[in-house]
Amino acid sequence: MTKQLSHIDEAGNASMVDVSHKKTSVRTAIASGRVIFPEAIFNTLANQDFLGTKGSIIQTAIIAGIQAVKQTATLIPLCHQLNVSKIQLDITPKDMALYISCKVKCNEQTGVEMEALTGVSVAALTIYDMCKALSHDIRISDIQLEQKTGGKNDFNR
């Protein structure tokens, strides 16, 4: 079996995948990433319970990530609009970084990998935005799919 790009048609044009023939099933995806801080900045933020002048850095990033999951189809042109049934976004401070995990669940004809990855990405960007006044030496790193279930192929990193 030869793998092919699913969003390119025979003529090489961008094309949204037709999922009308697929069965509806419960699908989940978990993505992760991290925002890495210089040690002094992380310690300052930790000593302030990650509260900045703009409010709670962690809670704001969680809300931004949840909103992003729900907007994925408007951000990524060939994604299907999905009726998401659950979003769980967690942010944990550890080792000079904020670790982000986003789990998305739906009962649809296509998966939610892009939604989970988008949630992590926007949460990370929100953290950067809220902390950039302290330092621009903040890195967003390791955004990746950890797991997906449902559909034709499951994946577990």
Side-chain angles (χ1 to χ4, degrees), residues 7-157:
H7 290 86
I8 306 295
D9 68 14
E10 297 82 22
N13 298 312
S15 175
M16 188 174 209
V17 175
D18 181 0
V19 297
S20 61
H21 65 282
K22 292 184 175 185
K23 290 186 179 187
T24 298
S25 64
V26 174
R27 298 165 188 257
T28 63
I30 300 172
S32 66
R34 61 189 176 135
V35 180
I36 305 164
F37 296 89
E39 185 174 358
I41 302 302
F42 184 86
N43 290 336
T44 297
L45 292 170
N47 288 336
Q48 298 170 354
D49 292 326
F50 295 92
L51 297 173
T53 57
K54 297 179 181 180
S56 170
I57 294 163
I58 291 174
Q59 289 304 307
T60 303
I62 288 171
I63 292 168
I66 290 169
Q67 284 184 287
V69 167
K70 297 189 292 184
Q71 295 298 314
T72 300
T74 62
L75 297 170
I76 301 175
L78 301 178
C79 280
H80 291 84
Q81 188 75 35
L82 299 177
N83 187 20
V84 172
S85 54
K86 175 72 176 164
I87 303 166
Q88 181 178 341
L89 208 143
D90 297 306
I91 300 175
T92 308
K94 180 181 160 191
D95 301 328
M96 304 306 147
L98 289 176
Y99 286 77
I100 306 165
S101 175
C102 183
K103 180 177 182 178
V104 181
K105 183 178 179 181
C106 73
N107 191 9
E108 291 282 351
Q109 293 170 291
T110 190
V112 286
E113 301 98 286
M114 296 310 301
E115 285 75 8
L117 288 162
T118 300
V120 168
S121 298
V122 171
L125 289 167
T126 300
I127 292 166
Y128 185 95
D129 178 53
M130 294 186 75
C131 299
K132 70 181 185 272
L134 300 176
S135 174
H136 285 96
D137 189 21
I138 299 168
R139 292 181 292 132
I140 295 172
S141 180
D142 301 319
I143 295 173
Q144 62 188 14
L145 181 67
E146 297 293 340
Q147 181 183 68
K148 83 168 209 66
T149 63
K152 188 169 35 174
N153 298 308
D154 287 351
F155 173 82
N156 199 359
R157 186 169 301 282

